[in-house]
Short mmCIF file of all heavy atoms in Angstrom, two decimals:
data_model
loop_
_atom_site.label_atom_id
_atom_site.label_comp_id
_atom_site.label_asym_id
_atom_site.label_seq_id
_atom_site.Cartn_x
_atom_site.Cartn_y
_atom_site.Cartn_z
N THR A 1 118.94 63.98 34.37
CA THR A 1 118.19 65.21 34.10
C THR A 1 116.94 65.26 34.96
O THR A 1 116.69 64.37 35.78
CB THR A 1 117.84 65.31 32.60
OG1 THR A 1 117.40 66.63 32.29
CG2 THR A 1 116.79 64.29 32.19
N ASN A 2 116.13 66.32 34.79
CA ASN A 2 114.88 66.42 35.53
C ASN A 2 113.91 67.30 34.76
O ASN A 2 114.27 67.98 33.80
CB ASN A 2 115.13 66.94 36.95
CG ASN A 2 115.19 68.44 37.05
OD1 ASN A 2 114.23 69.07 37.48
ND2 ASN A 2 116.31 69.05 36.66
N ALA A 3 112.66 67.30 35.19
CA ALA A 3 111.60 68.00 34.47
C ALA A 3 111.29 69.37 35.06
O ALA A 3 110.44 70.08 34.52
CB ALA A 3 110.34 67.14 34.45
N ARG A 4 111.94 69.75 36.14
CA ARG A 4 111.61 71.00 36.81
C ARG A 4 112.37 72.18 36.23
O ARG A 4 113.44 72.02 35.63
CB ARG A 4 111.92 70.90 38.30
CG ARG A 4 111.15 69.80 39.01
CD ARG A 4 111.34 69.88 40.50
NE ARG A 4 110.63 68.81 41.20
CZ ARG A 4 110.33 68.81 42.47
NH1 ARG A 4 110.70 69.85 43.23
NH2 ARG A 4 109.68 67.80 43.03
N ALA A 5 111.84 73.37 36.43
CA ALA A 5 112.57 74.59 36.10
C ALA A 5 113.61 74.87 37.18
O ALA A 5 113.60 74.27 38.26
CB ALA A 5 111.59 75.76 36.00
N ASP A 6 114.51 75.80 36.90
CA ASP A 6 115.51 76.19 37.88
C ASP A 6 114.87 76.84 39.11
O ASP A 6 113.88 77.58 38.98
CB ASP A 6 116.48 77.20 37.27
CG ASP A 6 117.78 76.58 36.81
OD1 ASP A 6 117.91 75.34 36.87
OD2 ASP A 6 118.67 77.33 36.37
N THR A 7 115.44 76.60 40.26
CA THR A 7 115.08 77.36 41.45
C THR A 7 115.80 78.71 41.40
O THR A 7 116.79 78.87 40.65
CB THR A 7 115.51 76.63 42.72
OG1 THR A 7 116.95 76.55 42.74
CG2 THR A 7 114.91 75.23 42.79
N PRO A 8 115.37 79.70 42.18
CA PRO A 8 116.10 80.98 42.22
C PRO A 8 117.57 80.80 42.59
O PRO A 8 118.44 81.50 42.07
CB PRO A 8 115.33 81.78 43.27
CG PRO A 8 113.94 81.22 43.22
CD PRO A 8 114.11 79.76 42.97
N GLU A 9 117.84 79.86 43.49
CA GLU A 9 119.22 79.61 43.91
C GLU A 9 120.05 79.06 42.75
O GLU A 9 121.21 79.47 42.54
CB GLU A 9 119.25 78.63 45.08
CG GLU A 9 118.64 79.16 46.37
CD GLU A 9 117.12 79.17 46.37
OE1 GLU A 9 116.51 78.50 45.50
OE2 GLU A 9 116.53 79.86 47.23
N GLN A 10 119.48 78.14 41.97
CA GLN A 10 120.19 77.60 40.81
C GLN A 10 120.42 78.67 39.76
O GLN A 10 121.50 78.75 39.16
CB GLN A 10 119.39 76.43 40.23
CG GLN A 10 119.38 75.18 41.10
CD GLN A 10 118.39 74.15 40.62
OE1 GLN A 10 117.30 74.47 40.11
NE2 GLN A 10 118.75 72.88 40.76
N ALA A 11 119.41 79.50 39.55
CA ALA A 11 119.55 80.58 38.57
C ALA A 11 120.65 81.56 38.98
O ALA A 11 121.40 82.06 38.12
CB ALA A 11 118.22 81.31 38.41
N GLU A 12 120.78 81.82 40.26
CA GLU A 12 121.83 82.73 40.73
C GLU A 12 123.22 82.14 40.49
O GLU A 12 124.15 82.85 40.10
CB GLU A 12 121.64 83.04 42.21
CG GLU A 12 122.73 83.93 42.80
CD GLU A 12 122.95 85.22 42.03
OE1 GLU A 12 121.97 85.81 41.52
OE2 GLU A 12 124.12 85.65 41.92
N ILE A 13 123.35 80.84 40.71
CA ILE A 13 124.63 80.18 40.43
C ILE A 13 124.97 80.28 38.95
O ILE A 13 126.12 80.57 38.57
CB ILE A 13 124.57 78.70 40.88
CG1 ILE A 13 124.51 78.61 42.40
CG2 ILE A 13 125.79 77.93 40.36
CD1 ILE A 13 124.22 77.23 42.93
N ARG A 14 123.98 80.07 38.10
CA ARG A 14 124.21 80.18 36.66
C ARG A 14 124.59 81.62 36.29
O ARG A 14 125.48 81.84 35.46
CB ARG A 14 122.98 79.74 35.88
CG ARG A 14 122.64 78.28 36.05
CD ARG A 14 121.54 77.83 35.10
NE ARG A 14 120.98 76.57 35.51
CZ ARG A 14 121.54 75.39 35.32
NH1 ARG A 14 122.71 75.31 34.69
NH2 ARG A 14 120.97 74.27 35.73
N SER A 15 123.93 82.58 36.90
CA SER A 15 124.25 83.99 36.62
C SER A 15 125.70 84.30 36.99
O SER A 15 126.39 85.03 36.27
CB SER A 15 123.30 84.90 37.38
OG SER A 15 121.98 84.76 36.94
N LYS A 16 126.14 83.74 38.09
CA LYS A 16 127.53 83.95 38.51
C LYS A 16 128.49 83.33 37.49
O LYS A 16 129.52 83.94 37.14
CB LYS A 16 127.76 83.33 39.89
CG LYS A 16 129.17 83.51 40.41
CD LYS A 16 129.32 82.91 41.80
CE LYS A 16 130.75 83.07 42.31
NZ LYS A 16 130.92 82.48 43.68
N GLN A 17 128.17 82.13 36.99
CA GLN A 17 129.02 81.48 36.00
C GLN A 17 129.03 82.26 34.69
O GLN A 17 130.06 82.34 34.01
CB GLN A 17 128.55 80.04 35.78
CG GLN A 17 128.79 79.15 37.00
CD GLN A 17 128.09 77.81 36.89
OE1 GLN A 17 127.30 77.56 35.98
NE2 GLN A 17 128.38 76.92 37.83
N ILE A 18 127.89 82.84 34.33
CA ILE A 18 127.84 83.70 33.15
C ILE A 18 128.76 84.90 33.31
O ILE A 18 129.51 85.26 32.39
CB ILE A 18 126.38 84.15 32.88
CG1 ILE A 18 125.55 82.97 32.34
CG2 ILE A 18 126.35 85.32 31.89
CD1 ILE A 18 124.07 83.28 32.22
N ARG A 19 128.73 85.51 34.50
CA ARG A 19 129.59 86.68 34.75
C ARG A 19 131.07 86.29 34.65
O ARG A 19 131.88 87.02 34.08
CB ARG A 19 129.29 87.28 36.12
CG ARG A 19 127.93 87.99 36.19
CD ARG A 19 127.82 88.85 37.44
NE ARG A 19 127.87 88.07 38.67
CZ ARG A 19 126.82 87.53 39.28
NH1 ARG A 19 125.61 87.68 38.73
NH2 ARG A 19 126.94 86.87 40.40
N ILE A 20 131.41 85.13 35.21
CA ILE A 20 132.81 84.67 35.15
C ILE A 20 133.23 84.48 33.70
O ILE A 20 134.32 84.93 33.29
CB ILE A 20 132.96 83.36 35.95
CG1 ILE A 20 132.79 83.63 37.44
CG2 ILE A 20 134.33 82.73 35.67
CD1 ILE A 20 132.72 82.36 38.28
N ALA A 21 132.38 83.83 32.91
CA ALA A 21 132.70 83.58 31.51
C ALA A 21 132.81 84.89 30.73
O ALA A 21 133.72 85.08 29.91
CB ALA A 21 131.65 82.68 30.88
N ALA A 22 131.89 85.81 31.01
CA ALA A 22 131.87 87.08 30.28
C ALA A 22 133.05 87.97 30.63
O ALA A 22 133.45 88.83 29.82
CB ALA A 22 130.57 87.82 30.55
N GLU A 23 133.61 87.76 31.81
CA GLU A 23 134.72 88.60 32.27
C GLU A 23 136.08 87.95 32.03
O GLU A 23 137.09 88.37 32.60
CB GLU A 23 134.53 88.91 33.76
CG GLU A 23 133.32 89.80 34.03
CD GLU A 23 132.99 89.92 35.50
OE1 GLU A 23 133.73 89.33 36.33
OE2 GLU A 23 131.99 90.59 35.84
N GLY A 24 136.12 86.93 31.18
CA GLY A 24 137.39 86.34 30.78
C GLY A 24 137.85 85.16 31.62
O GLY A 24 138.97 84.68 31.44
N GLY A 25 136.99 84.67 32.50
CA GLY A 25 137.39 83.56 33.36
C GLY A 25 136.84 82.21 32.96
O GLY A 25 136.79 81.28 33.79
N TYR A 26 136.44 82.07 31.70
CA TYR A 26 135.78 80.83 31.27
C TYR A 26 136.66 79.60 31.48
O TYR A 26 136.15 78.52 31.79
CB TYR A 26 135.37 80.94 29.80
CG TYR A 26 134.68 79.71 29.28
CD1 TYR A 26 133.43 79.32 29.77
CD2 TYR A 26 135.26 78.91 28.30
CE1 TYR A 26 132.79 78.18 29.29
CE2 TYR A 26 134.64 77.78 27.81
CZ TYR A 26 133.39 77.41 28.32
OH TYR A 26 132.77 76.28 27.84
#
């Protein structure tokens, strides 16, 4: 683990994974 917050790039990757999960691709 680490103590830092997400970078914008990491947040974008997570957003993409959220979209995949929300659209039935979990």
Side-chain angles (χ1 to χ4, degrees):
T1 194
N2 85 102
R4 300 188 181 198
D6 261 5
T7 65
E9 293 77 16
Q10 289 170 325
E12 177 53 36
I13 291 170
R14 295 189 196 283
S15 295
K16 181 178 179 180
Q17 292 169 352
I18 287 173
R19 289 194 296 271
I20 292 171
E23 293 170 2
Y26 180 66

